[in-house]
């Protein structure tokens, strides 16, 4: 897999996330909420790509925001959690919105992209202490390293 980000991402994203502290990490026992009920590549889309698929962004929006310095690098990451309790609580909150989200548990592998605990951000980005940002490379599909877990297991 080529270590490049999707074309719609800012050209300097790699530089910015490395400056912020992202690295090639292995993180085991992490949790991801798959909003639409499947453990597939789409379950790991970043916030930005999810919004593009919903028609909420286009390439011009990205360029304009980037040139104004208003881009939060976190919106280009896939969100995960190290806390199963927190993941379960978020899952319960979004069930009404999406209708059938599921909880996935697995391992972050560095060949798919750079990651970090958001609380360790050098730019002091704020988020829950359990939140992980994972910037996945273009066409990355880490779903094979995750399994669906039942809420009773949480």
């Amino acid at each position: 897999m080529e270590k490049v980000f999707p074309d719609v991402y800012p050209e300097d994203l790699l530089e910015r996330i490395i400056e912020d502290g992202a690295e090639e990490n292995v993180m085991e026992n992490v949790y991801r909420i798959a909003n639409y009920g499947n453990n597939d590549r789409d379950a790991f889309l970043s916030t930005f790509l999810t919004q593009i698929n919903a028609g909420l962004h286009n390439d011009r929006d990205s360029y304009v925001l980037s040139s104004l310095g208003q881009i939060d690098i976190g919106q280009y990451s896939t969100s995960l959690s190290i806390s199963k309790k927190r993941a379960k609580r978020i899952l319960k909150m979004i069930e009404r919105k999406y209708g059938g989200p599921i909880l996935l548990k697995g391992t972050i592998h560095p060949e798919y992209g750079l990651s970090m605990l958001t609380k360790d951000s050098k730019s002091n980005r704020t988020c829950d202490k359990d939140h992980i940002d994972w910037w996945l490379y273009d066409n990355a599909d880490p779903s094979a390293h995750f399994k669906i877990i039942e809420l009773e297991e949480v």
Side-chain angles (χ1 to χ4, degrees):
M1 172 183 331
E2 193 175 357
K3 294 182 176 184
V4 298
F5 293 112
D7 290 340
V8 295
Y9 284 11
E11 290 181 13
D12 65 344
L13 182 64
L14 179 60
E15 178 183 308
R16 291 176 65 187
I17 64 176
I18 289 173
E19 285 175 7
D20 203 43
E23 299 177 334
E24 291 186 341
N25 295 304
V26 173
M27 295 183 190
E28 297 179 341
N29 299 315
V30 298
Y31 299 88
R32 169 76 178 158
I33 296 170
N35 292 336
Y36 301 103
N38 297 312
N39 181 16
D40 58 15
R41 180 176 174 260
D42 288 348
F44 294 88
L45 291 178
S46 68
T47 302
F48 188 79
L49 291 178
T50 301
Q51 291 173 344
I52 283 180
N53 287 347
L56 301 175
H57 279 292
N58 62 40
D59 290 345
R60 185 176 177 337
D61 295 334
S62 178
Y63 172 77
V64 169
L65 290 174
S66 179
S67 65
L68 295 173
Q70 297 178 351
I71 298 240
D72 172 12
I73 59 173
Q75 73 178 333
Y76 299 98
S77 74
T78 296
S79 294
L80 296 99
S81 179
I82 58 173
S83 166
K84 58 185 170 181
K85 182 178 179 181
R86 173 136 180 81
K88 181 178 178 181
R89 187 176 40 211
I90 292 170
L91 180 71
K92 294 259 185 212
M93 288 186 329
I94 66 170
E95 277 181 324
R96 289 188 196 115
K97 180 177 181 179
Y98 293 101
I102 57 172
L103 189 59
L104 305 174
K105 179 181 179 181
T107 301
I108 288 176
H109 288 273
E111 64 265 25
Y112 297 109
L114 304 177
S115 61
M116 69 182 299
L117 279 168
T118 309
K119 70 179 179 112
D120 295 336
S121 165
K122 292 177 183 172
S123 64
N124 296 317
R125 290 182 300 117
T126 57
C127 207
D128 298 313
K129 64 180 168 66
D130 304 318
H131 187 269
I132 299 167
D133 284 304
W134 191 10
W135 291 273
L136 294 168
Y137 298 127
D138 196 22
N139 296 316
D141 181 2
S143 61
H145 301 283
F146 285 78
K147 67 175 187 166
I148 298 170
I149 60 171
E150 301 300 324
L151 290 182
E152 296 78 39
E153 295 179 49
V154 178

